[in-house]
Amino acid sequence: MGFTDKQEALVKDSWEFMKQDIPQLSLRFFSLILEIAPVAKNMFSFLKDSDELPENNPKLKAHAVKVFKMTCESAIQLREKGEVVVGETTLKYLGSIHLQKGVADPHFEVVKEALLRTVKEAMGNKWKDEMKEAWSEAYDQLAAAIKAEMHAEA
Ligand code: HEM
């Protein structure tokens, strides 16, 4: 089954709501990543040398926002075109930066789990179970595109 209008709306609307508090969202997202996979810490230049998560760190926020925003864009493309279309240059860049930083396929599952838990918590009583499916699908397709580029380059 394709990605439906309703699924697109679930992702877009929840992102609109969540992006009102990026500092909190990005902090929670990274705490969950480190809780699920503590070894991920050393990959991120801005986490390596500190014991605590740096609050309001622009790079930490930037990565969190990129992951959420690109997953949201992925949802829109899935509904409109039936596939994720990341610009070729962007995809090449995404592939090489992640390879360079030592990211491997299993890490995408860690980030997915953290993303889904962050959405659920951030949405609070606005959370709906169908949101999980919609965010999962949009993320999986985006992650597959990035991983394919990583494999092509490796
Ligand atoms: C860098 C997006 C998944 C680790 C980046 C950058 C983007 C990005 C756009 C470049 C940031 C910049 O140059 O300013 C994404 C998206 C993902 C994803 C859309 C999933 C769909 C992951 C995963 C990991 C990861 C699974 C590993 C846990 C990193 C690291 C960097 C990076 C370590 C370099 C950050 C730094 O140290 O400055 N990512 N990423 N990313 N990403 Fe991801």
Side-chain angles (χ1 to χ4, degrees), residues 93-153:
Y93 171 66
L94 283 173
S96 56
I97 186 112
H98 290 105
L99 263 184
Q100 218 182 80
K101 299 284 170 172
V103 177
D105 286 9
H107 298 122
F108 282 87
E109 285 306 307
V110 173
V111 165
K112 178 183 177 182
E113 183 64 32
L115 174 123
L116 293 174
R117 282 169 63 183
T118 305
V119 177
K120 186 172 184 182
E121 282 182 21
M123 293 311 290
N125 59 14
K126 293 186 168 56
W127 167 260
K128 297 193 187 92
D129 282 335
E130 304 105 290
M131 280 175 186
K132 182 174 178 185
E133 194 56 41
W135 276 93
S136 292
E137 181 66 15
Y139 177 90
D140 283 347
Q141 301 261 357
L142 172 62
I146 300 174
K147 285 188 276 188
E149 189 55 45
M150 289 166 66
H151 298 159
E153 200 182 301

Side-chain angles (χ1 to χ4, degrees), residues 2-4 8 71-85 134 136-142:
F3 206 76
T4 63
E8 181 193 355
T71 304
C72 183
E73 284 160 4
S74 160
I76 298 168
Q77 293 168 357
L78 280 175
R79 208 269 306 148
E80 282 177 356
K81 307 192 173 82
E83 61 177 331
V84 177
V85 201
S136 292
E137 181 66 15
Y139 177 90
D140 283 347
Q141 301 261 357
L142 172 62

Side-chain angles (χ1 to χ4, degrees), residues 24 30 32 42 70 91 115 131 135 144:
Q24 166 64 23
F30 269 97
L32 285 167
N42 292 325
M70 290 189 71
L91 201 52
L115 174 123
M131 280 175 186
W135 276 93

Side-chain angles (χ1 to χ4, degrees), residues 19-117:
K19 76 180 187 195
Q20 292 171 33
D21 193 356
I22 298 293
Q24 166 64 23
L25 184 83
S26 45
L27 212 55
R28 190 60 191 138
F29 179 55
F30 269 97
S31 327
L32 285 167
I33 292 177
L34 299 187
E35 192 180 306
I36 302 165
V39 292
K41 188 172 176 221
N42 292 325
M43 288 181 174
F44 293 94
S45 56
F46 46 88
L47 298 182
K48 250 187 240 161
D49 305 317
S50 67
D51 287 336
E52 285 174 20
L53 279 182
E55 268 182 67
N56 275 319
N57 179 293
K59 284 196 168 176
L60 178 138
K61 274 194 252 179
H63 192 267
V65 170
K66 282 280 181 199
V67 173
F68 279 89
K69 205 170 163 212
M70 290 189 71
T71 304
C72 183
E73 284 160 4
S74 160
I76 298 168
Q77 293 168 357
L78 280 175
R79 208 269 306 148
E80 282 177 356
K81 307 192 173 82
E83 61 177 331
V84 177
V85 201
V86 189
E88 205 187 319
T89 353
T90 319
L91 201 52
K92 282 217 174 338
Y93 171 66
L94 283 173
S96 56
I97 186 112
H98 290 105
L99 263 184
Q100 218 182 80
K101 299 284 170 172
V103 177
D105 286 9
H107 298 122
F108 282 87
E109 285 306 307
V110 173
V111 165
K112 178 183 177 182
E113 183 64 32
L115 174 123
L116 293 174
R117 282 169 63 183

